[in-house]
Amino acid sequence: MRVGLIVDSACDLPYEFSRKHDLFILPVTAVIDGQTYTDEHDPVRTQEFYQSGLLQKGHQAETRAYTAEQIHDLFMEKIVTQFDLAICETVTKTRSLIFQNATEAMNSVLSNYQKARDAAGREGRFFMRVIDSKQIFAGQGLLAAHTLSLIDQKLSKNALRHEVETFTDKIYTCVIPRDLHYIRERARRRGDKSVSALVAFLGKALNITPVIFGQGADGLPAVKTRSFDMAVEKVMNYAAARVEAGLLTPYVSLSCGLTWTEIEDLPGLNRLRDACERNGVELLLSQMGITSSIYVGPGSLCLALAAEPHSFSEFQ
């Protein structure tokens, strides 16, 4: 049985890792200053966006999920004809319509896949599951990496689904937003009140950079610092200490809305690299995708790992 893993464009992973494991990327549409772009995690296009300045303040940017019809067509053409079982992991359904649209597309596909498989010479039945990752960005990337390791274990389709859905609640995410006002305005346009105007005001008035920490997309300020570099240092210290204490999967996922030169200069990054190397953990370091950067703001950072219950302050 050939198993395929599908993730959407909000999932941040190194390009080479995604290509090596043949991940299928479900695109997201980005609309910037009225121009429409398709985010397919092309590293060249992503780098062009960072260099163009289109992701900076002053540009009207938003993301739009593919419709159920568009996703249905992609599944029928690319997934049904190549795999016997497909797992589709989407960005948390509390932040996007992708889960809803992918589920609708899946139901249609499961009722109409036979002709496409016959035409492709693919024998046997086709199975599919759409799973709410409950994650964003690097958290999605971590779940995808862990799912690939589960697929390698040749689990049954029901066992695989159970393991993935159970694991989502064990992922902890740190987000450092570069501009709280950017997030507030994006949230306001989506009707999301999770970032208040007061927090945004304090961030501007006092030059506060918070570290948002929690399980999956449900995070709260764990610490407030006076600079981005100070916040990064605290996150790197946390991650290195948590790696030393032990993880539930041998990956740390880190995505940054920065150029590669800026990423390599992040304070504490080499300390985290050393901790990962000592403990047999793979650091999945990536440039934040277009979709992620539009959502949380250019210059931001997201780190995810899976561990037993803990607080951020325990590892400072």
Side-chain angles (χ1 to χ4, degrees):
M1 180 172 67
R2 187 161 187 239
V3 183
L5 179 60
I6 305 162
V7 296
D8 59 57
S9 291
C11 175
D12 285 335
L13 275 171
Y15 175 72
E16 291 300 329
F17 183 90
S18 298
R19 189 171 68 172
K20 174 183 175 182
H21 294 283
D22 198 26
L23 289 186
F24 181 84
I25 307 297
L26 182 61
V28 171
T29 299
V31 182
I32 305 174
D33 295 340
Q35 291 289 108
T36 300
Y37 307 86
T38 300
D39 182 8
E40 297 179 297
H41 268 208
D42 180 335
V44 175
R45 170 54 67 89
T46 301
Q47 186 64 22
E48 288 174 352
F49 266 76
Y50 278 98
Q51 293 174 341
S52 70
L54 284 174
L55 297 178
Q56 301 300 320
K57 289 189 296 185
H59 295 277
Q60 293 295 319
E62 64 177 344
T63 56
R64 296 174 184 170
Y66 263 33
T67 66
E69 291 77 15
Q70 288 174 305
I71 297 174
H72 169 273
D73 292 344
L74 282 174
F75 284 172
M76 290 292 280
E77 179 184 356
K78 304 291 187 179
I79 303 302
V80 164
T81 56
Q82 295 185 41
F83 302 102
D84 305 306
L85 169 64
I87 300 293
C88 178
E89 297 174 352
T90 73
V91 64
T92 175
K93 65 182 180 182
T94 63
R95 297 289 191 269
S96 171
L97 292 174
I98 297 176
F99 173 81
Q100 176 182 319
N101 292 352
T103 300
E104 184 178 333
M106 175 194 69
N107 291 332
S108 176
V109 165
L110 290 176
S111 300
N112 299 282
Y113 68 78
Q114 198 61 58
K115 286 185 179 180
R117 279 179 75 81
D118 290 344
R122 195 91 195 169
E123 298 181 354
R125 297 178 62 188
F126 174 75
F127 302 92
M128 188 173 192
R129 292 291 182 270
V130 176
I131 295 175
D132 174 15
S133 74
K134 303 179 186 177
Q135 309 297 320
I136 54 174
F137 321 144
Q140 277 182 272
L142 185 80
L143 180 64
H146 182 71
T147 300
L148 289 168
S149 69
L150 293 173
I151 290 173
D152 287 343
Q153 295 176 30
K154 310 295 184 184
L155 301 176
S156 70
K157 61 180 183 295
N158 289 332
L160 178 60
R161 179 184 181 182
H162 173 75
E163 289 294 327
V164 171
E165 291 180 333
T166 301
F167 192 78
T168 60
D169 295 323
K170 300 174 182 177
I171 297 175
Y172 289 82
T173 303
C174 299
V175 175
I176 305 176
R178 198 63 174 262
D179 187 333
L180 289 174
H181 278 270
Y182 179 99
I183 294 180
R184 182 177 68 87
E185 287 304 306
R186 284 275 300 134
R188 183 184 59 80
R189 290 198 293 270
R190 295 193 310 270
D192 181 352
K193 299 179 181 179
S194 59
V195 180
S196 71
L198 176 61
V199 169
F201 171 77
L202 288 174
K204 180 178 181 181
L206 302 178
N207 194 28
I208 287 174
T209 300
V211 174
I212 311 299
F213 173 79
Q215 289 175 277
D218 298 324
L220 294 171
V223 63
K224 296 176 182 178
T225 67
R226 289 303 182 93
S227 73
F228 180 75
D229 282 354
M230 288 177 64
V232 171
E233 188 92 45
K234 286 185 175 296
V235 167
M236 296 299 180
N237 288 342
Y238 155 77
R242 187 61 260 194
V243 166
E244 297 286 359
L247 302 176
L248 298 179
T249 195
Y251 301 102
V252 171
S253 181
L254 174 61
S255 66
C256 312
L258 303 164
T259 66
W260 279 109
T261 300
E262 291 170 324
I263 290 172
E264 289 299 328
D265 287 339
L266 288 173
L269 176 59
N270 287 332
R271 189 181 316 121
L272 175 57
R273 279 183 168 138
D274 291 344
C276 287
E277 185 174 349
R278 284 195 303 273
N279 290 275
V281 171
E282 183 173 358
L283 177 61
L284 301 171
L285 177 61
S286 65
Q287 195 171 47
M288 193 171 277
I290 296 169
T291 300
S292 310
S293 192
I294 289 175
Y295 188 96
V296 75
S300 301
L301 179 147
C302 183
L303 179 142
L305 51 78
E308 298 292 348
H310 64 280
S311 68
F312 185 83
S313 61
E314 289 178 66
F315 294 89
Q316 289 297 306

